[in-house]
Amino acid sequence: MKKKGYYGHWGGAFVPEVLFETFKELNVFFEEVKKDSSFWHEYLQLMSSYSCRPTPLTYAENLSKHFAGGHIYIKREDLNHTGAHKANNVMGQGLLVKRMGKKRVIAETGAGQHGVATATMAAKFGFDCTIYMGEEDVQRQRPNVFWMEKMGATVVPVTDGSKTLKDAINEAFRDWVTNMDSTHYVLGTVCGPHPFPEMVAWFQSIIGIEAREQILQAFGKLPDRVYACVGGGSNAMGIFQGFLQDEQVGLVGVEAGGKGLSTGEHAARLAGSDASPGVAQGYKTMFLQDSDGQMLDTHSVAAGLDYIGVSPILSDLWEKGRVRFAAATDSEVMEALDLTMKKEGIIPALESAHGFVQAFKEASDLGRDEALIINMSGRGDKDIFTIANAYGDPSWKEFIIERAEQYKKG
Ligand SMILES: *Cc1c(COP(=O)(O)O)cnc(C)c1O
């Protein structure tokens, strides 16, 4: 029999003994709601009234013509509340917390997107909310910190270690150990100890369920390939689950190639050769680590893909050859973003644009009677500082300087 919480030999639940009871409770509730169709119904209701679901599947007619290959469809997760697929996970966990009768949620965040989504959910459900964020990231992501605080969350800057995401994760676990009776830890992606990978994948499966129906309706048959960017892997697992059983549909995960795989400045775990198996943060997967198991520094232009581990479910699907992995570099991402804006009037998040890069490279391999889907995990509005910088837009720079000077004058 399959060992619970394992995907092949990946996954597991390596948690401190003091959290055993909390994880037991979480597992019991999760198993219960999985069997309870009224829970999924309540989830669908909430997502349709609060987060614009079902999100559309957009036919990218101009891009399809441009590449003169397969028809390109875009699954529009950018149209969720707070602008990304993260809403699917946090709202689902919010409903679960309500069932458990807990009143407080905590979360880790790197770029701040998961923090904002969690703060939104906490405000809506009336939970107390504490967000752990590396001090470095607090400084880099001021707009997100601003919104979290305005929605009533407490943002705690973490000053340990490298003052980034992995330190925030450690601090969130410390909080949970101290306050487990009242508190639920809203993990942000399909990683961490069981049941989180399975639970987050379950909530995100809403993407794939919709996309499968929508492509059959719009195109009359299944797509040849489905592309998604991979940070922790939640948006990718979300859409892939709609097509996992259809062996003829190729599934492609695209990781952050950063400045290039040979530079060491990237976050390619499964697409590169720098990662190795390890156990950290409560689960076993492929990590970017040195030979002593110390985590390496990663880099990506997209903060949401800049992570040392990857979903154990994806490590398994990679090992079995069911999901293929590729990497997109920072500069390829900017090119794909530019083309998508100009051809379709759509602004993908820097993270999502990684999926676009690989789809564009392969679109002309497909015939005119074939289709591909790109999962657009989020919208690019949040990335205006980075994107404007990359364009080197002089009037934008002037605008920022002028604003700063106005502030100084008071
Ligand atoms: C957080 C984020 C990601 C990366 O997370 P996954 O768990 O890999 O999906 C990708 N895209 C956007 C827009 C994000 O906000």
Side-chain angles (χ1 to χ4, degrees):
M1 208 182 89
K2 184 175 164 288
K3 229 163 95 192
K4 221 155 177 41
Y6 278 85
Y7 310 92
H9 51 96
W10 310 101
F14 301 83
V15 295
E17 210 174 317
V18 286
L19 279 174
F20 280 5
E21 281 303 311
T22 308
F23 269 87
K24 218 164 111 188
E25 181 194 20
L26 184 59
N27 273 300
V28 166
F29 272 95
F30 176 52
E31 290 302 322
E32 211 175 278
V33 299
K34 257 198 311 188
K35 283 186 241 134
D36 178 357
S37 62
S38 75
F39 182 87
W40 189 257
H41 184 75
E42 193 183 353
Y43 174 63
L44 291 182
Q45 279 294 111
L46 176 67
M47 295 313 287
S48 69
S49 64
Y50 193 65
S51 194
C52 311
R53 300 214 75 93
T55 59
L57 183 73
T58 302
Y59 177 48
E61 189 177 356
N62 301 326
L63 283 170
S64 301
K65 281 206 184 105
H66 179 79
F67 289 104
H71 297 273
I72 300 175
Y73 287 84
I74 304 174
K75 178 62 173 162
R76 301 292 303 281
E77 290 305 297
D78 59 307
L79 297 176
N80 274 292
H81 183 44
T82 72
H85 69 293
K86 289 195 164 68
N88 305 331
N89 173 34
V90 297
M91 297 315 289
Q93 290 199 44
L95 285 178
L96 190 69
V97 173
K98 218 171 82 178
R99 290 241 175 156
M100 289 193 290
K102 293 190 172 182
K103 295 275 185 284
R104 179 172 178 264
V105 292
I106 57 174
E108 85 295 344
T109 194
Q113 295 301 115
H114 176 56
V116 170
T118 304
T120 310
M121 176 273 276
K124 170 136 179 85
F125 285 111
F127 302 143
D128 283 338
C129 178
T130 302
I131 304 293
Y132 290 94
M133 197 168 177
E135 191 179 42
E136 219 24 62
D137 292 328
V138 170
Q139 271 156 24
R140 286 193 291 212
Q141 307 290 340
R142 182 48 58 186
N144 284 334
V145 174
F146 177 83
W147 289 128
M148 283 184 251
E149 290 179 342
K150 292 304 167 250
M151 285 186 284
T154 305
V155 180
V156 179
V158 177
T159 54
D160 285 353
S162 58
K163 306 180 172 61
T164 57
L165 180 62
K166 62 178 172 354
D167 313 292
I169 293 175
N170 293 338
E171 205 53 42
F173 266 105
R174 246 169 256 153
D175 178 316
W176 205 16
V177 167
T178 319
N179 302 297
M180 54 200 170
D181 290 340
S182 66
T183 300
H184 174 71
Y185 179 9
V186 184
L187 213 136
T189 187
V190 275
C191 293
H194 179 73
F196 283 109
E198 185 187 336
M199 187 168 79
V200 179
W202 187 54
F203 290 128
Q204 295 291 0
S205 71
I206 195 170
I207 306 173
I209 293 170
E210 288 175 8
R212 191 175 197 284
E213 263 180 45
Q214 289 167 323
I215 192 79
L216 288 174
Q217 176 102 49
F219 192 64
K221 62 175 184 174
L222 290 171
D224 261 60
R225 292 175 200 173
V226 177
Y227 297 83
C229 67
V230 178
S234 69
N235 86 87
M237 276 312 300
I239 195 156
F240 289 171
Q241 281 172 99
F243 305 94
L244 265 180
Q245 309 305 325
D246 307 301
E247 288 293 332
Q248 74 271 33
V249 179
L251 305 175
V252 187
V254 189
E255 298 182 323
K259 295 182 179 163
L261 294 192
S262 60
T263 63
E265 293 187 60
H266 61 77
R269 290 101 353 140
L270 301 176
S273 54
D274 291 349
S276 53
V279 175
Q281 296 170 356
Y283 71 112
K284 181 179 176 190
T285 197
M286 292 288 283
F287 284 102
L288 287 165
Q289 57 189 341
D290 67 17
S291 51
D292 297 326
Q294 292 295 316
M295 295 305 153
L296 297 173
D297 283 333
T298 51
H299 164 83
S300 171
V301 69
L305 302 188
D306 198 356
Y307 179 53
I308 47 162
V310 65
S311 175
I313 310 176
L314 285 173
S315 286
D316 182 47
L317 292 169
W318 161 75
E319 202 169 50
K320 287 181 176 144
R322 180 65 187 95
V323 178
R324 168 162 64 91
F325 283 83
T329 64
D330 293 351
S331 58
E332 288 173 327
V333 161
M334 291 308 306
E335 272 173 45
L337 196 64
D338 186 68
L339 188 69
T340 307
M341 289 194 284
K342 299 238 156 59
K343 290 279 175 204
E344 298 291 344
I346 287 174
I347 312 173
L350 284 166
E351 289 82 3
S352 320
H354 285 69
F356 285 68
V357 168
Q358 195 61 26
F360 292 172
K361 282 183 190 168
E362 299 178 10
S364 58
D365 300 348
L366 300 186
R368 288 291 175 89
D369 57 344
E370 297 175 314
L372 63 85
I373 301 178
I374 308 170
N375 196 34
M376 179 162 157
S377 55
R379 64 176 183 226
D381 307 47
K382 68 179 175 63
D383 298 318
I384 189 163
F385 294 96
T386 313
I387 296 171
N389 242 353
Y391 277 111
D393 185 325
S395 49
W396 171 259
K397 196 171 163 185
E398 234 166 74
F399 165 76
I400 295 285
I401 292 170
E402 212 163 278
R403 274 290 169 100
E405 259 149 29
Q406 271 170 20
Y407 267 109
K408 272 192 215 146
K409 282 190 217 134

